[in-house]
Amino acid sequence: DATARAWMSAAGSRAGDNDLSVAAANAADAAALRELVGHAQDARKALVEVADLRAKIAALSAEGEERNAANITETKALEVKLASVTSAAKNFENQLASSIIATNALKVEVIVATKAL
C-alpha cells in the first residue's frame, strides 16, 4: 500500500511537472508571438513610411519636371527676345554707320565749299 501511494505521489508530481512544462512552453510561445506581432507592426510602419516617401519623391519629381518645362519655355522666350534685340542693335549700328558716312560727306562738301569761297 505504501508503494502504491509512493508511486501515485510520484505520478502526481510528474503530472504537476508536465503541467509546469506546458505552462512554461505556453508562456514562451506567447512571448514569441508578442515579439512577432511587434516585428510585424514595425514592418507595417516601415512599409507605410516607404510608401509616403515614394509619394513625396514622385511629387517632387513632378514638381521638378514642371519647373524644368517652365524654365525651358522661359528660356526660349528670352532667346526670341535676345534675337529681336540683337537685330535691332544691328539696325542701329547700320544706321549709325550710314549717319557717319553722311556726316563725313557733308564735312567734305563744307570743306570744298569753304575753299571755293
Side-chain angles (χ1 to χ4, degrees):
D1 204 29
T3 305
R5 272 186 275 159
W7 185 82
M8 294 288 263
S9 175
S13 176
R14 280 192 297 259
D17 288 346
N18 284 341
D19 287 345
L20 289 176
S21 294
V22 170
N26 286 343
D29 288 347
L33 185 59
R34 281 192 298 277
E35 187 175 347
L36 285 174
V37 168
H39 290 312
Q41 289 172 340
D42 291 344
R44 186 181 63 75
K45 288 177 186 176
L47 288 173
V48 168
E49 187 175 345
V50 166
D52 287 347
L53 290 173
R54 284 184 176 163
K56 288 177 183 178
I57 289 169
L60 288 172
S61 178
E63 184 180 323
E65 288 175 12
E66 288 174 10
R67 285 183 184 170
N68 190 36
N71 286 341
I72 289 170
T73 301
E74 186 175 347
T75 299
K76 287 181 180 181
L78 289 173
E79 287 172 350
V80 168
K81 191 172 185 177
L82 177 61
S84 174
V85 169
T86 301
S87 177
K90 285 183 181 181
N91 286 339
F92 289 134
E93 190 177 324
N94 290 338
Q95 289 174 358
L96 179 60
S98 295
S99 294
I100 290 171
I101 290 169
T103 301
N104 287 339
L106 284 174
K107 286 180 183 177
V108 169
E109 287 183 24
V110 168
I111 292 171
V112 169
T114 305
K115 286 186 178 182
L117 291 174

